[in-house]
Amino acid sequence: MSDYIISAESTVDLLPQEIEEFDLKYIPMTFTLNGVNYKDDLGQTMSYDEFYETMAKGAETKTTSVAVGEYIDFFTGYLNEGLDILHVTMSSGISSTYSQATSAANILKEEFPDRKILVLDSMCAGAGFGLVAEEMSVLRKNGASIEEAYEQGLIFRRKVNHLFVPTDLEYLFKGGRLSRTEALVGGLLNICPMICIDPQGKLAVLMKVKGKKKAFKELAAQALLRAAGGADFDRILYVCHCHCIDDAEKVAELVREVLPKAQIRIGNVGLAMGCHSGPGGVALFFAGDRETWI
């Protein structure tokens, strides 16, 4: 058994079996639905269907970052077991989790001076964030030290591609990604923006495509353009959806046509992330050969 764990927030948006497969530990984020607080525990307490259906009916949602004290409690359990910690967070350009986890680590270093606590800003979101955690998990399994896994994580995070096509622009307006005029006009003209993560780890509009059908084809085209090895890409590629499995399967089929060797996994955009994306929409997450920003 390795002498360190790899942990993350639940916004890695992986399935419980994938968390087990990669031997990851996670701390739940909190989201609020119609004034009631819930833990984002990968769909176990509240199913993805129930969440998105409630949201589609007009439910008010918001998210709360993990508090410093919660990180302290979470980390302390493993430190007391004599384990070091490599914790990876969602992008600091989107969330305050990196700042909170770093503060907790600094406090605990005084109490556990012989233990290592490294916090890595993934500069990613959703299952893209999950890919960074998985990459470091594989390194750990193959014998990498905590420092080696951390350093490789810093390199790998820049190669993760995020491509998201929402179907309801109202949530992008609420999140400040589009103006009211852009959301209204886009809806009227059937414009689908493609969202990505920029070099600062923030959400940005990569391009705008007219019509969902064309947008889904463009997702596959961008995957071929950006994936490590091009058509020979044979790594994990996540197709994640916001309560629209049929759309996700259509996108997965298009991606298989251009990346036949890809290990395509269809999953959900998690509940905490879903508070900002809303129901509808499909995202791709995969590794590229190099830092990719067009």
Side-chain angles (χ1 to χ4, degrees):
M1 177 178 171
S2 177
D3 59 353
Y4 68 97
I5 65 153
I6 296 175
S7 59
E9 292 85 40
S10 58
T11 42
V12 287
D13 285 357
L14 303 177
L15 297 173
Q17 56 265 38
E18 290 170 329
I19 293 288
E20 182 177 353
E21 174 187 349
F22 289 97
D23 192 20
L24 301 174
K25 314 301 179 184
Y26 78 92
I27 181 169
M29 292 276 284
T30 299
F31 68 93
T32 302
L33 190 65
N34 285 334
V36 180
N37 290 332
Y38 298 91
K39 290 295 184 183
D40 177 8
D41 56 1
L42 309 177
Q44 297 180 85
T45 298
M46 176 178 288
S47 72
Y48 297 103
D49 288 344
E50 180 185 356
F51 170 79
Y52 282 112
E53 287 168 6
T54 304
M55 201 174 181
K57 294 175 183 176
E60 292 294 323
T61 61
K62 66 177 182 179
T63 57
T64 303
S65 179
V66 180
V68 173
E70 292 178 286
Y71 280 116
I72 289 175
D73 291 342
F74 176 71
F75 292 155
T76 298
Y78 297 107
L79 296 170
N80 280 331
E81 294 178 25
L83 297 170
D84 294 330
I85 296 170
L86 174 48
H87 184 78
V88 56
T89 75
M90 188 162 60
S91 173
S92 59
I94 298 174
S95 169
S96 64
T97 50
Y98 174 71
S99 175
Q100 303 284 73
T102 300
S103 294
N106 289 335
I107 291 170
L108 287 170
K109 285 175 183 177
E110 296 183 8
E111 183 178 352
F112 297 90
D114 296 328
R115 297 265 62 85
K116 299 173 184 176
I117 312 172
L118 302 183
V119 181
L120 186 143
D121 179 358
S122 74
M123 304 293 283
C124 297
F129 166 29
L131 284 172
V132 177
E134 290 175 358
E135 179 73 8
M136 294 192 300
S137 174
V138 171
L139 289 166
R140 171 181 174 272
K141 183 178 180 180
N142 290 335
S145 68
I146 188 171
E147 293 86 2
E148 290 169 335
Y150 176 85
E151 292 299 325
Q152 288 302 308
L154 291 176
I155 296 170
F156 181 76
R157 65 180 183 174
R158 294 294 188 180
K159 298 180 180 180
V160 177
N161 286 262
H162 306 66
L163 301 171
F164 173 55
V165 172
T167 56
D168 189 339
L169 302 187
E170 179 65 20
Y171 293 96
L172 289 177
F173 160 68
K174 289 181 178 179
R177 306 304 170 188
L178 293 178
S179 68
R180 167 54 75 187
T181 300
E182 287 175 320
L184 287 173
V185 172
L188 290 172
L189 297 180
N190 196 24
I191 299 296
C192 295
M194 186 179 295
I195 310 299
C196 64
I197 297 285
D198 71 13
Q200 287 72 50
K202 298 180 179 180
L203 298 180
V205 177
L206 180 66
M207 65 177 72
K208 297 178 182 179
V209 184
K210 186 173 177 61
K212 185 169 74 172
K213 185 176 181 180
K214 289 183 179 179
F216 287 172
K217 288 183 178 179
E218 186 60 38
L219 279 175
Q222 288 294 317
L224 176 60
L225 174 67
R226 296 162 175 262
D232 290 326
F233 177 81
D234 60 0
R235 302 185 63 166
I236 292 174
L237 181 149
Y238 285 105
V239 180
C240 296
H241 65 95
C242 307
H243 195 49
C244 51
I245 182 63
D246 290 344
D247 284 346
E249 290 176 344
K250 289 176 185 176
V251 171
E253 183 177 348
L254 291 169
V255 172
R256 285 191 187 97
E257 291 176 2
V258 297
L259 300 176
K261 300 178 183 178
Q263 301 174 46
I264 297 176
R265 298 188 180 188
I266 298 178
N268 297 278
V269 172
L271 307 189
M273 294 294 292
C275 286
H276 303 286
S277 65
V282 179
L284 298 184
F285 305 95
F286 57 92
D289 280 320
R290 58 191 182 280
E291 295 183 17
T292 311
W293 169 249
I294 301 174

